Amino acid sequence: MASAASAPPTPGNLKRIVAASLIGTTIEWYDFFLYGSAAALVFNKLFFPDSDPLVGTLLSFLTYAVGFAARPLGALVFGHYGDRLGRKKLLVLSLLLMGGATFAIGLLPTHASVGAAAPVLLTSLRLVQGFALGGEWGGAVLLVSEHGDARRRGFWASWPQTGAPAGQLLATGVLSLLTAVLSDDAFGSWGWRIPFLLSGVLVVVGLWIRLSVDESPVFKEALARAEARKATNAEATERLPLVSVLRHHWRDILVAMGARMAENISYYVITAFILVYATTSAGVSKQTALNAVLIASAVHFAVIPAWGALSDRVGRRPVYLLGAVGVGLWMFPFFSLIDTGGFGNLILAVTVGLVLHGAMYAPQAAFFSEMFATRMRYSGASIGAQFASVAAGAPAPLIATALLADYGSSTPIALYVIAAAVLTVVAVLVAKETRLRDLADVSAESGAEAASAPAADARIA
């Protein structure tokens, strides 16, 4: 029999939980991606004006990468308190931090006004963004995963994942609209601030929805059991979630980190670096490049739930492997299509790349959630995902831009993504299939090995 905690919730309640997670992740990714797009388009001129244009872009992407460096710290802090206090409280805090930092970026003075202090302030706020996002992802996907039932967990848990393309869609759409209606001088002078200030309005909406949902029933049940143990044994002590997850689930953390390599690197090459490559090497206008990412992000949003549903039918690993292999094979055609300079080819290149990326990103939420025991799940999923981002997504636009500057060719960049795909394929191949696990039954003592036994699947009602 399935545990009470893992029993299917009412459809209305589950949809409200999904909506709360989705709106929050959309806002947070909007804030994060908005910075990435602005880094590629205007921050090099506003905050690093004394540098060569390509060097200025590199410095701008370096501040972009700083946000990733703060994500592991956010994963540790939010994971610890999320496993101790609950998912919901930490999700509210992450939204406030991210929205506040983004709104403040919209008010920043530029290098022309305050000199070297401008990039320092920009970098500081980017650190806050990264810290908040490091804690957001794990809580958002767990809130949905722990409310849903095992048979459709891949589908429902993939909806918070659509917050990434939705945020990208929103950020790119706002920037595309502004660049279309404003002159370059107006956009560079004050227009770039509008999308950052808009974040303040979005955060209010997100908080209103997020505060209305209930805490995860799986977490509440695990917390009650822990408190009962303390009541019967006053000397019993509970290990820190970080210590416990490193002791019992260190293999799963390594698998999660490896699985993120191709997913993270390919995404930022396809959506952030393309704004540099298409405009400097392929002669495509800034507006055209933004429009291509906008269209492809809409398709990306649509296919993620479909990939999540497929992972419920055939397993997390087969879908993930399809995406990793596909992204690796697509890289050379991707750059060849962009080099033609045609808008249709540009859309095709980015869209196919993001569809293949979605095959990795969609099952990731359920896949990572199913690896860890409840009282260390927030820590485990967050650490595995966010520590990988430091080596993967953080330097991806920076490395790609440096390779382009050194070699003047897309070939080294394609090989860079292919190498990441190979790492991901190896990681997923050595992982255990997690489909149909009861989250309340994942064992802390024996790690994912116990949860993958046939008896675990037999307990699913």
Side-chain angles (χ1 to χ4, degrees), residues 322-358:
L322 174 63
V325 173
V327 160
L329 294 175
W330 183 245
M331 276 302 102
F332 280 111
F334 172 79
F335 285 108
S336 296
L337 287 168
I338 295 174
D339 288 337
T340 66
F343 183 52
N345 286 340
L346 185 60
I347 293 173
L348 178 62
V350 182
T351 300
V352 173
L354 288 182
V355 168
L356 293 169
H357 170 271

Side-chain angles (χ1 to χ4, degrees), residues 116-292:
V120 173
L121 292 170
L122 180 68
T123 302
S124 299
L125 291 173
R126 182 60 174 172
L127 284 168
V128 176
Q129 280 190 322
F131 178 79
L133 190 60
E136 161 71 22
W137 181 83
V141 299
L142 292 188
L143 197 63
V144 177
S145 295
E146 292 179 343
H147 272 87
D149 66 289
R151 286 192 177 89
R152 301 196 69 196
R153 185 180 296 126
F155 171 73
W156 289 116
S158 70
W159 279 101
Q161 299 292 75
T162 65
Q168 178 77 69
L169 191 64
L170 189 58
T172 306
V174 172
L175 284 172
S176 181
L177 177 63
L178 289 172
T179 55
V181 301
L182 297 176
S183 66
D184 286 345
D185 288 341
F187 182 78
S189 175
W190 55 269
W192 67 272
R193 298 181 183 276
I194 295 175
F196 287 93
L197 298 176
L198 179 62
S199 178
V201 178
L202 298 176
V203 167
V204 173
V205 176
L207 283 175
W208 176 68
I209 297 176
R210 190 161 273 188
L211 286 169
S212 68
V213 302
D214 297 325
E215 181 56 80
S216 154
V218 174
F219 174 80
K220 288 193 290 187
E221 185 180 89
L223 182 61
R225 287 197 300 267
E227 291 176 347
R229 284 194 297 269
K230 289 180 182 179
T232 56
N233 184 1
E235 297 181 357
T237 58
E238 189 176 9
R239 287 191 180 93
L240 294 176
L242 174 62
V243 174
S244 296
V245 79
L246 291 178
R247 177 181 178 184
H248 299 297
H249 290 286
W250 61 270
R251 291 183 182 86
D252 297 312
I253 289 176
L254 291 177
V255 166
M257 291 177 67
R260 284 218 78 193
M261 288 294 132
E263 178 267 306
N264 223 216
I265 289 173
S266 65
Y267 188 79
Y268 291 105
V269 168
I270 292 169
T271 61
F273 172 70
I274 188 180
L275 299 179
V276 175
Y277 184 82
T279 55
T280 60
S281 296
V284 175
S285 71
K286 176 171 59 179
Q287 182 67 45
T288 299
L290 282 170
N291 287 341

Side-chain angles (χ1 to χ4, degrees), residues 13-104:
N13 184 53
L14 182 55
K15 289 177 182 177
R16 187 168 65 252
I17 296 294
V18 170
S21 294
L22 174 57
I23 189 67
T25 53
T26 297
I27 293 168
E28 299 228 13
W29 282 113
Y30 165 81
D31 293 346
F32 206 74
F33 289 140
L34 180 62
Y35 189 104
S37 297
L41 297 173
V42 295
F43 280 178
N44 58 330
K45 300 172 185 176
L46 295 173
F47 293 93
F48 307 98
D50 298 330
S51 304
D52 171 84
L54 196 56
V55 174
T57 301
L58 281 169
L59 292 173
S60 185
F61 274 141
L62 186 59
T63 65
Y64 176 71
V66 163
F68 287 84
R71 283 164 71 169
L73 179 59
L76 291 172
V77 174
F78 279 80
H80 171 83
Y81 288 103
D83 283 327
R84 287 294 180 91
L85 304 177
R87 309 348 184 173
K88 177 180 172 178
K89 295 176 183 177
L90 276 298
L91 285 174
V92 170
L93 178 60
S94 69
L95 189 59
L96 285 172
L97 285 174
M98 175 67 87
T102 304
F103 186 83

Side-chain angles (χ1 to χ4, degrees), residues 255-426:
V255 166
M257 291 177 67
R260 284 218 78 193
M261 288 294 132
E263 178 267 306
N264 223 216
I265 289 173
S266 65
Y267 188 79
Y268 291 105
V269 168
I270 292 169
T271 61
F273 172 70
I274 188 180
L275 299 179
V276 175
Y277 184 82
T279 55
T280 60
S281 296
V284 175
S285 71
K286 176 171 59 179
Q287 182 67 45
T288 299
L290 282 170
N291 287 341
V293 174
L294 187 67
I295 294 170
S297 294
V299 177
H300 193 211
F301 178 91
V303 300
I304 285 177
W307 285 125
L310 183 62
S311 78
D312 286 327
R313 296 180 65 85
V314 303
R316 318 299 182 213
R317 292 170 72 246
V319 177
Y320 213 113
L321 287 169
L322 174 63
V325 173
V327 160
L329 294 175
W330 183 245
M331 276 302 102
F332 280 111
F334 172 79
F335 285 108
S336 296
L337 287 168
I338 295 174
D339 288 337
T340 66
F343 183 52
N345 286 340
L346 185 60
I347 293 173
L348 178 62
V350 182
T351 300
V352 173
L354 288 182
V355 168
L356 293 169
H357 170 271
M360 294 180 283
Y361 198 56
Q364 189 178 97
F367 191 28
F368 290 5
S369 298
E370 291 159 347
M371 290 180 181
F372 303 97
T374 302
R375 292 304 303 281
M376 58 191 80
R377 184 170 292 132
Y378 203 142
S379 296
S382 297
I383 290 169
Q386 304 307 332
F387 273 72
S389 70
V390 176
L398 191 65
I399 290 173
T401 304
L403 289 172
L404 180 63
D406 288 345
Y407 295 96
S409 168
S410 63
T411 298
I413 305 166
L415 293 174
Y416 165 54
V417 178
I418 291 170
V422 171
L423 285 175
T424 291
V425 167
V426 172

